[in-house]
Amino acid sequence: MKHIFLTAGLAFSTICTIAQTGVIAKQNGANSAFYYAPGQDLAYAVQQAAPGDTLYLPGGILPYNGITINKRLTIIGAGYHANGVPVTQKTVIPSTFSLSFVVEASADGSSFHGIDFEENIAFSTAVMNIDFVRCEFNDISLDPFSTVGAQNISFRQCVFRDPLGIEQSESIYVYNSVFEQGVYITNYGSASQVQIKQCLFLNASLTNAQVNGVEYENNVFVYNQNSGTIQVNCIGTLRNNVFVANAVLPVTITPLGVSSGNSSMTCSPANAQFVNLPSLTTYVYNSDLQLQSCADAFPGFGGYEVGVYGGPAGSTWKENGIPFNPHWETLITPANTINGVLPAVQIQGSAQTN
């Protein structure tokens, strides 16, 4: 990561004022020319963009009244994690209480980075090759009303507040992410080739998790219970997962598939297995998900430790969820101006490659 320090007066003050109006920058995929749309909403920016363009979104709640992504775009927000965007605030696509953020098949190859999706996300028929990186989701179902399910959809270092609807999708990859509710599939679904690796499941439940073809590998399941038995009953493959509860509880693993290398006993107490886990049911931004104690000692599959900090180099959980684009880290301004100019304004930014 490269750090950039700037000291500026009136010129910076002017730039900062423009940024607060919500500037969306569009980078042309062919010649790297930039276009700025101050005060315009995301739908306008998408309409003006050409396939292959990159859109850079400001922090804050975006003006929004529904949108359809119908071309290949890279859309990058300021970040979803409240602690990682102290200057700009996180990028939020607000809820309109309808399925109005629609991804169509013509958006094949698109990716989304650093966005808090409070709006529900819907996929049209036969959507393929979509990536979500360091995003937060209120509600997302991969094909709630389509005849051909989504294929080759990946989620990396994301937060799922509600369950991820797998439905009849194929080749779904979820890595190094946090679930508050897990995954689900309805009776008519037939998902296949689903990989869920190096994830953390808060408020965990794998009882009657009828999801065909799912591989759970190197995950940590946190159970908010002090007694009884942890029942793990799902269709799929369970490989080298660890189960965490408030007390040492018996674990009954009865998958209708393959089970190998899973922890046969839970680590406890649950909070003590992490550096800082304020809640067993809700992801809190100031959590530190590094493992310690019993859970940290549990051997993962493939030489990786279990949990969100495991996995191949470059794939592990990133502190504060910062996307890969340059971003502001610090803004220090004096309380008063001198002849209309803010003296010694300091701003610190960072740029990174992943």
Side-chain angles (χ1 to χ4, degrees):
M1 179 184 294
K2 296 180 180 179
H3 292 275
I4 304 167
F5 297 89
L6 297 175
T7 300
L10 181 60
F12 170 74
S13 179
T14 302
I15 294 173
C16 189
T17 300
I18 292 174
Q20 289 175 350
T21 64
V23 175
I24 297 176
K26 181 188 73 174
Q27 182 180 13
N28 184 272
N31 56 27
S32 296
F34 274 86
Y35 168 79
Y36 298 93
Q40 295 291 345
D41 63 13
L42 180 57
Y44 175 84
V46 169
Q47 180 183 10
Q48 298 299 310
D53 282 358
T54 298
L55 298 178
Y56 296 91
L57 309 182
I61 300 175
L62 298 183
Y64 176 79
N65 191 30
I67 193 173
T68 297
I69 308 298
N70 56 7
K71 62 191 74 171
R72 179 173 58 87
L73 297 172
T74 300
I75 301 180
I76 306 174
Y80 78 88
H81 196 297
N83 295 344
V85 283
V87 175
T88 62
Q89 300 182 356
K90 64 180 184 177
T91 298
V92 178
I93 295 180
S95 175
T96 60
F97 302 100
S98 64
L99 289 172
S100 58
F101 192 101
V102 179
V103 180
E104 294 192 339
S106 52
D108 185 355
S110 293
S111 63
F112 304 87
H113 308 254
I115 302 172
D116 178 3
F117 290 95
E118 295 185 358
E119 177 64 287
N120 297 333
I121 299 177
F123 284 68
S124 62
T125 186
V127 174
M128 299 179 63
N129 306 319
I130 305 295
D131 294 331
F132 294 93
V133 183
R134 296 173 198 145
C135 290
E136 180 176 329
F137 303 96
N138 177 56
D139 189 12
I140 177 170
S141 185
L142 298 182
D143 52 346
F145 50 73
S146 66
T147 56
V148 179
Q151 298 183 39
N152 196 30
I153 312 297
S154 71
F155 301 89
R156 290 175 287 159
Q157 301 173 47
C158 292
V159 174
F160 299 88
R161 298 293 185 180
D162 279 347
L164 170 63
I166 298 294
E167 302 299 345
Q168 53 193 355
S169 304
E170 179 180 345
S171 299
I172 308 301
Y173 309 99
V174 188
Y175 301 140
N176 301 85
S177 296
V178 176
F179 291 88
E180 288 185 0
Q181 302 288 335
V183 299
Y184 75 91
I185 185 170
T186 58
N187 291 332
Y188 66 82
S190 57
S192 62
Q193 299 180 42
V194 180
Q195 294 184 2
I196 302 178
K197 298 182 178 182
Q198 308 291 162
C199 292
L200 171 65
F201 288 80
L202 299 172
N203 197 29
S205 175
L206 278 178
T207 302
N208 299 320
Q210 303 300 309
V211 184
N212 259 320
V214 176
E215 296 181 24
Y216 292 99
E217 181 180 288
N218 287 356
N219 302 294
V220 178
F221 295 91
V222 176
Y223 289 81
N224 186 29
Q225 64 185 76
N226 300 300
S227 61
T229 301
I230 292 178
Q231 299 286 342
V232 181
N233 177 21
C234 68
I235 300 175
T237 300
L238 296 169
R239 185 185 299 113
N240 285 83
N241 302 283
V242 65
F243 305 93
V244 173
N246 284 325
V248 176
L249 305 177
V251 180
T252 301
I253 301 175
T254 54
L256 303 177
V258 179
S259 175
S260 64
N262 297 284
S263 173
S264 59
M265 63 178 292
T266 50
C267 299
S268 68
N271 292 90
Q273 305 310 311
F274 303 85
V275 174
N276 181 32
L277 189 69
S279 172
L280 304 184
T281 61
T282 303
Y283 173 68
V284 180
Y285 287 122
N286 66 354
S287 300
D288 188 334
L289 304 178
Q290 290 275 11
L291 291 172
Q292 57 185 6
S293 189
C294 167
D296 184 44
F298 184 76
F301 182 78
Y304 306 122
E305 69 172 278
V306 297
V308 296
Y309 281 97
S315 68
T316 61
W317 184 261
K318 194 170 190 65
E319 292 298 334
N320 296 331
I322 299 297
F324 68 86
N325 62 308
H327 55 278
W328 300 122
E329 289 183 326
T330 304
L331 174 64
I332 301 174
T333 60
N336 300 306
T337 62
I338 300 176
N339 296 324
V341 176
L342 285 174
V345 174
Q346 296 182 357
I347 185 167
Q348 175 182 334
S350 295
Q352 53 202 17
T353 58
N354 57 27

